[in-house]
Amino acid sequence: MEESIALSETLQVNSASSRVICRVCQKQFSQYTCPRCNTRYCSLHCYKSHSLRCTESFMRENVVDEMKQLRPDDESKKKMLEILKRFHAEDEEDGMDEDDSTLSEETIQKALSGGEINYDDLSAEEKKLFQRAITTGELSKMIEPWEPWWLKPSARTISLSHGGTRLIQPLASEEASGSHSVENLESEIPPGPETPLPSPKNLTSAEPSPLLPFHLVDILYSYCFTLRLYNGDWSSDSIGASMVVLNVSAVLSQGAQPESLLEAVSYCLEQTCSPDFRHMGGLQFGFGVLDDVVSLISLGRAAVVCALCDLQRMIAAGEMELKSEKPRKAKSSEVTSKLKSAGRKIYFILCWVNEQPEEVWSSLSVLVQAEKASQLEYQGNGKRRTLKTEKTNDDSKALIKEI
């Protein structure tokens, strides 16, 4: 009992002796001791102000100890060497122009880390270099040339039933043999409809318009134009591809009803020469797309059905991707509405195409070829060819100004 009392008294004495006033502020009891000068202080503020020499020395030692523990890996050494070599090369080239500047450090690090680099990620100088590479054709060497499926020999062997479905369906266990196997045909040619197409009479009570061939040329032009623009791979950007179709096709985007082949072709060529697509080559590129339309139509009903089915899938994929991105509600609803309307028009004309006899396609391909020749003649003579149309969406304008 006496030992416990003595111990208690000793603790109280030690506790009282440890309550030392802070040597800095002289107001609070000190709780800490400086590890360098043993000065007693009460808070971080007092520690920082008690001796500048102590605080700087203490922080410097901590930083040095931390750096000693770091060991750069091979990847970081490689990146640093590349950066040093690049800046060393820049210092040696005193007369180098600004357009020859290299990529920014941020862009290089993003590329080395395996991330995707968008056009918006580039600096102003990098965008100039990219645009110059496009105009000079440097980037074209890196892209494998794409051959349109309607120009391949397999496009002439498409067989569809009266309902539009493929007559020969590949089996999962069947092995490919030969260059013209079913599997090769499947990979080259867009698949047709999965279910038989109904008659247009089952979709509407009105008789199909006699102007539908002209509408079809407008739609097929937008399809061939978009595939040329995307090098055959519209699935890489289904929204962008769908918007290109709407920009080029007046039938799908504005509900236009061209009354002649001249009107349909003129609008498509005008859009091709617009500022949005002028970089593609202008009129010369447009005439090339007209050749694609002629080649596609001359293949007959089966090829046109497959093309419209591919276009229908493109529009549907763009609509689905647009919904998943969830952009601004007003803009999203407007574009979604246009894509839905375009999808319905494509399906209707798809059903109409499926019922047309083969002689229709040979005649239509000749007409498109003749219209192209007429446009080339006017363009070669330097004449002006204007075409006034009826009002569409309360607007009236010339579809083509000069060729």
Side-chain angles (χ1 to χ4, degrees):
M1 184 67 178
E2 293 178 357
E3 293 180 358
S4 62
I5 294 175
L7 180 60
S8 177
E9 292 177 352
T10 302
L11 292 174
Q12 291 177 0
V13 172
N14 293 338
S15 176
S17 61
S18 63
R19 297 175 66 84
V20 179
I21 298 297
C22 175
R23 298 301 177 89
V24 182
C25 66
Q26 300 291 330
K27 296 179 181 179
Q28 304 292 334
F29 289 109
S30 64
Q31 301 180 13
Y32 312 99
T33 302
C34 176
R36 302 190 61 84
C37 63
N38 295 324
T39 298
R40 302 296 297 271
Y41 61 94
C42 63
S43 61
L44 179 62
H45 175 74
C46 289
Y47 169 73
K48 291 182 178 180
S49 59
H50 89 281
S51 173
L52 185 61
R53 183 187 305 173
C54 286
T55 54
E56 289 184 351
S57 177
F58 179 70
M59 294 298 295
R60 183 171 59 253
E61 291 180 359
N62 286 342
V63 172
V64 172
D65 293 339
E66 186 69 21
M67 293 183 65
K68 289 180 179 180
Q69 298 177 3
L70 295 177
R71 294 291 185 269
D73 54 10
D74 295 338
E75 186 66 22
S76 59
K77 289 180 181 180
K78 181 180 178 181
K79 293 179 181 179
M80 184 57 66
L81 286 175
E82 291 177 354
I83 295 173
L84 291 176
K85 289 180 181 179
R86 176 165 54 83
F87 280 103
H88 179 68
E90 289 178 355
D91 292 337
E92 292 180 349
E93 299 178 3
D94 297 331
M96 184 175 60
D97 297 334
E98 292 184 359
D99 288 344
D100 294 331
S101 60
T102 56
L103 297 176
S104 64
E105 184 64 27
E106 182 181 357
T107 305
I108 293 176
Q109 292 296 334
K110 190 172 183 180
L112 290 174
S113 62
E116 294 184 358
I117 300 178
N118 298 322
Y119 182 78
D120 296 334
D121 297 333
L122 303 179
S123 63
E125 295 299 327
E126 292 167 354
K127 290 179 179 179
K128 290 181 180 179
L129 289 173
F130 182 74
Q131 292 292 344
R132 187 179 67 180
I134 294 177
T135 55
T136 57
E138 295 178 11
L139 292 181
S140 61
K141 300 177 182 179
M142 305 174 61
I143 302 176
E144 183 179 356
W146 173 71
E147 182 184 4
W149 62 265
W150 52 83
L151 299 181
K152 296 182 178 181
S154 56
R156 301 185 179 276
T157 62
I158 308 174
S159 298
L160 300 181
S161 66
H162 293 291
T165 56
R166 180 157 293 177
L167 291 175
I168 303 176
Q169 298 294 339
L171 299 177
S173 59
E174 186 178 2
E175 297 182 356
S177 61
S179 59
H180 297 288
S181 62
V182 176
E183 286 77 4
N184 284 335
L185 182 61
E186 280 288 328
S187 61
E188 292 180 349
I189 309 302
E194 298 180 357
T195 58
L197 296 171
S199 172
K201 298 179 181 179
N202 298 333
L203 302 177
T204 178
S205 58
E207 288 293 329
S209 172
L211 304 178
L212 286 181
F214 309 141
H215 301 180
L216 176 64
V217 171
D218 172 278
I219 295 174
L220 290 180
Y221 184 97
S222 67
Y223 171 72
C224 296
F225 180 95
T226 304
L227 261 63
R228 287 286 187 181
L229 180 64
Y230 280 85
N231 204 39
D233 184 20
W234 59 259
S235 60
S236 60
D237 182 16
S238 56
I239 293 181
S242 300
M243 297 309 299
V244 170
V245 170
L246 294 182
N247 288 333
V248 176
S249 172
V251 173
L252 297 179
S253 62
Q254 305 174 15
Q257 297 182 5
E259 299 180 356
S260 65
L261 195 57
L262 167 63
E263 184 177 341
V265 171
S266 297
Y267 182 86
C268 292
L269 292 178
E270 181 183 1
Q271 294 303 107
T272 304
C273 297
S274 66
D276 293 335
F277 306 115
R278 190 178 299 164
H279 64 279
M280 294 296 295
L283 277 176
Q284 294 303 319
F285 178 77
F287 291 143
V289 176
L290 283 178
D291 289 335
D292 290 328
V293 175
V294 172
S295 300
L296 186 54
I297 294 177
S298 63
L299 293 174
R301 174 184 69 97
V304 177
V305 167
C306 290
L308 292 175
C309 286
D310 194 30
L311 179 59
Q312 189 181 33
R313 283 186 289 268
M314 181 197 304
I315 298 297
E319 185 179 350
M320 291 296 295
E321 186 177 340
L322 186 65
K323 291 180 179 179
S324 62
E325 287 190 355
K326 297 181 179 179
R328 296 179 180 178
K329 292 183 178 179
K331 184 178 180 180
S332 174
S333 59
E334 179 182 357
V335 176
T336 301
S337 177
K338 288 185 177 181
L339 291 178
K340 286 184 178 179
S341 176
R344 289 193 295 266
K345 293 176 182 178
I346 295 172
Y347 183 73
F348 177 81
I349 204 166
L350 175 61
C351 297
W352 174 82
V353 165
N354 189 53
E355 286 194 343
Q356 302 309 305
E358 291 300 329
E359 53 267 20
V360 170
W361 309 115
S362 57
S363 301
L364 184 58
S365 63
V366 171
L367 290 176
V368 177
Q369 185 66 41
E371 181 58 35
K372 177 200 169 185
S374 177
Q375 296 281 358
L376 282 171
E377 181 182 358
Y378 275 91
Q379 189 262 349
N381 295 333
K383 296 181 179 180
R384 297 179 61 88
R385 194 179 190 188
T386 59
L387 178 66
K388 296 292 183 179
T389 61
E390 296 180 358
K391 290 186 177 181
T392 302
N393 296 332
D394 298 329
D395 292 328
S396 179
K397 64 178 181 179
L399 288 183
I400 187 167
K401 297 181 178 179
E402 182 176 359
I403 296 182

